Short mmCIF file of all heavy atoms in Angstrom, two decimals:
data_model
loop_
_atom_site.label_atom_id
_atom_site.label_comp_id
_atom_site.label_asym_id
_atom_site.label_seq_id
_atom_site.Cartn_x
_atom_site.Cartn_y
_atom_site.Cartn_z
N ALA A 96 147.80 -16.49 75.93
CA ALA A 96 149.14 -16.65 76.51
C ALA A 96 149.78 -15.27 76.64
O ALA A 96 149.42 -14.35 75.91
CB ALA A 96 150.00 -17.54 75.62
N ILE A 97 150.66 -15.16 77.60
CA ILE A 97 151.42 -13.91 77.77
C ILE A 97 152.90 -14.24 77.62
O ILE A 97 153.42 -15.09 78.35
CB ILE A 97 151.16 -13.26 79.14
CG1 ILE A 97 149.68 -12.91 79.31
CG2 ILE A 97 152.03 -12.01 79.32
CD1 ILE A 97 149.31 -12.41 80.71
N LEU A 98 153.53 -13.59 76.66
CA LEU A 98 155.00 -13.72 76.52
C LEU A 98 155.63 -12.62 77.37
O LEU A 98 155.34 -11.44 77.19
CB LEU A 98 155.40 -13.56 75.06
CG LEU A 98 156.91 -13.62 74.79
CD1 LEU A 98 157.45 -15.03 74.96
CD2 LEU A 98 157.23 -13.10 73.39
N VAL A 99 156.44 -13.06 78.34
CA VAL A 99 157.16 -12.10 79.19
C VAL A 99 158.54 -11.90 78.58
O VAL A 99 159.25 -12.88 78.32
CB VAL A 99 157.29 -12.63 80.64
CG1 VAL A 99 158.05 -11.63 81.52
CG2 VAL A 99 155.91 -12.93 81.23
N VAL A 100 158.88 -10.64 78.34
CA VAL A 100 160.18 -10.33 77.74
C VAL A 100 160.91 -9.30 78.61
O VAL A 100 160.29 -8.58 79.38
CB VAL A 100 160.03 -9.77 76.29
CG1 VAL A 100 159.23 -10.74 75.44
CG2 VAL A 100 159.38 -8.39 76.29
N GLY A 101 162.22 -9.26 78.48
CA GLY A 101 163.02 -8.30 79.24
C GLY A 101 164.00 -7.59 78.31
O GLY A 101 164.56 -8.21 77.40
N ASP A 102 164.21 -6.30 78.58
CA ASP A 102 165.06 -5.48 77.71
C ASP A 102 166.44 -5.30 78.35
O ASP A 102 166.56 -4.68 79.42
CB ASP A 102 164.38 -4.12 77.51
CG ASP A 102 165.06 -3.29 76.44
OD1 ASP A 102 166.27 -3.50 76.18
OD2 ASP A 102 164.39 -2.42 75.85
N GLU A 103 167.44 -5.86 77.69
CA GLU A 103 168.82 -5.79 78.22
C GLU A 103 169.34 -4.37 78.28
O GLU A 103 170.25 -4.08 79.04
CB GLU A 103 169.75 -6.63 77.35
CG GLU A 103 169.66 -8.11 77.67
CD GLU A 103 170.47 -8.97 76.73
OE1 GLU A 103 170.84 -8.50 75.65
OE2 GLU A 103 170.72 -10.13 77.11
N SER A 104 168.77 -3.49 77.48
CA SER A 104 169.25 -2.11 77.49
C SER A 104 168.64 -1.30 78.64
O SER A 104 169.03 -0.17 78.89
CB SER A 104 168.94 -1.41 76.15
OG SER A 104 167.55 -1.19 76.04
N LYS A 105 167.65 -1.91 79.32
CA LYS A 105 167.00 -1.18 80.43
C LYS A 105 167.31 -1.77 81.79
O LYS A 105 167.12 -1.13 82.82
CB LYS A 105 165.48 -1.20 80.24
CG LYS A 105 165.05 -0.45 78.99
CD LYS A 105 163.57 -0.15 78.99
CE LYS A 105 163.21 0.72 77.79
NZ LYS A 105 161.95 0.36 77.20
N VAL A 106 167.75 -3.02 81.79
CA VAL A 106 167.89 -3.75 83.06
C VAL A 106 169.06 -3.23 83.89
O VAL A 106 170.04 -2.70 83.35
CB VAL A 106 168.03 -5.26 82.78
CG1 VAL A 106 169.41 -5.59 82.22
CG2 VAL A 106 167.73 -6.07 84.02
N PHE A 107 168.95 -3.37 85.20
CA PHE A 107 170.06 -3.03 86.10
C PHE A 107 170.98 -4.25 86.24
O PHE A 107 170.51 -5.33 86.63
CB PHE A 107 169.53 -2.60 87.47
CG PHE A 107 170.60 -2.34 88.48
CD1 PHE A 107 171.53 -1.32 88.29
CD2 PHE A 107 170.70 -3.13 89.62
CE1 PHE A 107 172.54 -1.09 89.22
CE2 PHE A 107 171.71 -2.90 90.56
CZ PHE A 107 172.62 -1.87 90.35
N GLU A 108 172.26 -4.04 85.91
CA GLU A 108 173.26 -5.11 85.94
C GLU A 108 172.70 -6.37 85.24
O GLU A 108 172.11 -6.27 84.19
CB GLU A 108 173.71 -5.38 87.37
CG GLU A 108 174.45 -4.15 87.94
CD GLU A 108 175.02 -4.34 89.33
OE1 GLU A 108 174.61 -5.28 90.04
OE2 GLU A 108 175.88 -3.52 89.69
N GLY A 109 172.87 -7.55 85.84
CA GLY A 109 172.46 -8.76 85.12
C GLY A 109 171.13 -9.33 85.61
O GLY A 109 170.90 -10.54 85.52
N TYR A 110 170.25 -8.46 86.10
CA TYR A 110 169.08 -8.96 86.81
C TYR A 110 167.85 -9.23 85.93
O TYR A 110 166.74 -9.39 86.46
CB TYR A 110 168.70 -8.00 87.94
CG TYR A 110 169.68 -8.02 89.09
CD1 TYR A 110 170.52 -6.93 89.33
CD2 TYR A 110 169.79 -9.13 89.92
CE1 TYR A 110 171.43 -6.95 90.39
CE2 TYR A 110 170.69 -9.15 90.97
CZ TYR A 110 171.51 -8.07 91.20
OH TYR A 110 172.41 -8.09 92.24
N LEU A 111 168.02 -9.30 84.64
CA LEU A 111 166.87 -9.54 83.76
C LEU A 111 166.09 -10.81 84.13
O LEU A 111 164.85 -10.77 84.24
CB LEU A 111 167.33 -9.57 82.30
CG LEU A 111 166.23 -9.65 81.23
CD1 LEU A 111 166.67 -8.94 79.95
CD2 LEU A 111 165.82 -11.07 80.91
N PRO A 112 166.78 -11.95 84.36
CA PRO A 112 166.00 -13.15 84.69
C PRO A 112 165.23 -13.03 85.99
O PRO A 112 164.08 -13.49 86.08
CB PRO A 112 167.05 -14.27 84.79
CG PRO A 112 168.36 -13.68 84.49
CD PRO A 112 168.22 -12.22 84.19
N GLN A 113 165.85 -12.39 86.99
CA GLN A 113 165.13 -12.24 88.27
C GLN A 113 163.91 -11.34 88.11
O GLN A 113 162.82 -11.64 88.63
CB GLN A 113 166.06 -11.66 89.35
CG GLN A 113 167.17 -12.62 89.80
CD GLN A 113 168.45 -12.43 89.01
OE1 GLN A 113 168.43 -12.08 87.83
NE2 GLN A 113 169.58 -12.69 89.63
N ASP A 114 164.08 -10.21 87.42
CA ASP A 114 162.97 -9.27 87.23
C ASP A 114 161.82 -9.96 86.49
O ASP A 114 160.65 -9.83 86.86
CB ASP A 114 163.41 -8.06 86.40
CG ASP A 114 164.37 -7.14 87.15
OD1 ASP A 114 164.63 -7.38 88.34
OD2 ASP A 114 164.84 -6.16 86.53
N CYS A 115 162.18 -10.68 85.43
CA CYS A 115 161.13 -11.32 84.61
C CYS A 115 160.51 -12.52 85.34
O CYS A 115 159.32 -12.79 85.17
CB CYS A 115 161.71 -11.76 83.27
SG CYS A 115 162.10 -10.37 82.19
N ALA A 116 161.31 -13.19 86.18
CA ALA A 116 160.75 -14.32 86.94
C ALA A 116 159.75 -13.83 87.98
O ALA A 116 158.68 -14.45 88.17
CB ALA A 116 161.87 -15.11 87.61
N ALA A 117 160.07 -12.72 88.63
CA ALA A 117 159.14 -12.18 89.64
C ALA A 117 157.83 -11.78 88.96
O ALA A 117 156.73 -12.05 89.49
CB ALA A 117 159.78 -10.99 90.35
N ALA A 118 157.92 -11.18 87.79
CA ALA A 118 156.71 -10.78 87.05
C ALA A 118 155.92 -12.02 86.62
O ALA A 118 154.68 -12.06 86.72
CB ALA A 118 157.08 -9.94 85.83
N THR A 119 156.64 -13.03 86.18
CA THR A 119 155.99 -14.28 85.74
C THR A 119 155.22 -14.91 86.90
O THR A 119 154.06 -15.33 86.77
CB THR A 119 157.03 -15.26 85.17
OG1 THR A 119 157.70 -14.63 84.08
CG2 THR A 119 156.38 -16.54 84.69
N GLN A 120 155.86 -14.97 88.06
CA GLN A 120 155.20 -15.56 89.23
C GLN A 120 153.96 -14.76 89.62
O GLN A 120 152.93 -15.33 89.97
CB GLN A 120 156.19 -15.64 90.40
CG GLN A 120 155.61 -16.17 91.71
CD GLN A 120 155.32 -17.66 91.67
OE1 GLN A 120 155.53 -18.34 90.67
NE2 GLN A 120 154.83 -18.20 92.77
N ASN A 121 154.04 -13.43 89.54
CA ASN A 121 152.86 -12.62 89.86
C ASN A 121 151.72 -12.91 88.88
O ASN A 121 150.55 -12.91 89.27
CB ASN A 121 153.21 -11.13 89.84
CG ASN A 121 153.74 -10.67 91.19
OD1 ASN A 121 154.10 -11.49 92.03
ND2 ASN A 121 153.82 -9.36 91.39
N ILE A 122 152.06 -13.15 87.63
CA ILE A 122 151.02 -13.50 86.65
C ILE A 122 150.32 -14.79 87.07
O ILE A 122 149.09 -14.88 87.07
CB ILE A 122 151.63 -13.65 85.23
CG1 ILE A 122 152.11 -12.29 84.71
CG2 ILE A 122 150.62 -14.27 84.26
CD1 ILE A 122 152.86 -12.36 83.39
N LEU A 123 151.10 -15.79 87.45
CA LEU A 123 150.53 -17.08 87.86
C LEU A 123 149.60 -16.90 89.07
O LEU A 123 148.49 -17.45 89.10
CB LEU A 123 151.62 -18.07 88.22
CG LEU A 123 152.64 -18.46 87.14
CD1 LEU A 123 153.69 -19.40 87.73
CD2 LEU A 123 151.96 -19.14 85.96
N LEU A 124 150.06 -16.13 90.04
CA LEU A 124 149.27 -15.96 91.26
C LEU A 124 148.00 -15.14 90.99
O LEU A 124 146.92 -15.47 91.49
CB LEU A 124 150.12 -15.31 92.36
CG LEU A 124 151.28 -16.18 92.87
CD1 LEU A 124 152.17 -15.39 93.82
CD2 LEU A 124 150.76 -17.45 93.55
N ALA A 125 148.14 -14.10 90.17
CA ALA A 125 146.97 -13.26 89.85
C ALA A 125 145.94 -14.07 89.05
O ALA A 125 144.74 -13.96 89.29
CB ALA A 125 147.40 -12.03 89.06
N ALA A 126 146.42 -14.89 88.14
CA ALA A 126 145.51 -15.73 87.34
C ALA A 126 144.77 -16.70 88.28
O ALA A 126 143.55 -16.89 88.17
CB ALA A 126 146.30 -16.50 86.29
N THR A 127 145.48 -17.28 89.22
CA THR A 127 144.86 -18.21 90.18
C THR A 127 143.78 -17.48 90.99
O THR A 127 142.66 -17.98 91.14
CB THR A 127 145.93 -18.77 91.15
OG1 THR A 127 146.99 -19.32 90.39
CG2 THR A 127 145.35 -19.84 92.06
N LEU A 128 144.14 -16.30 91.46
CA LEU A 128 143.21 -15.50 92.27
C LEU A 128 141.94 -15.17 91.49
O LEU A 128 140.84 -15.12 92.06
CB LEU A 128 143.92 -14.20 92.68
CG LEU A 128 143.39 -13.45 93.86
CD1 LEU A 128 143.51 -14.30 95.14
CD2 LEU A 128 144.19 -12.17 94.04
#
Side-chain angles (χ1 to χ4, degrees):
I97 299 174
L98 178 72
V99 180
V100 305
D102 190 335
E103 280 175 342
S104 71
K105 295 195 174 142
V106 73
F107 175 63
E108 295 184 343
Y110 289 110
L111 187 150
Q113 291 92 329
D114 290 356
C115 290
T119 302
Q120 177 72 358
N121 273 15
I122 292 174
L123 299 177
L124 294 173
T127 307
L128 201 63

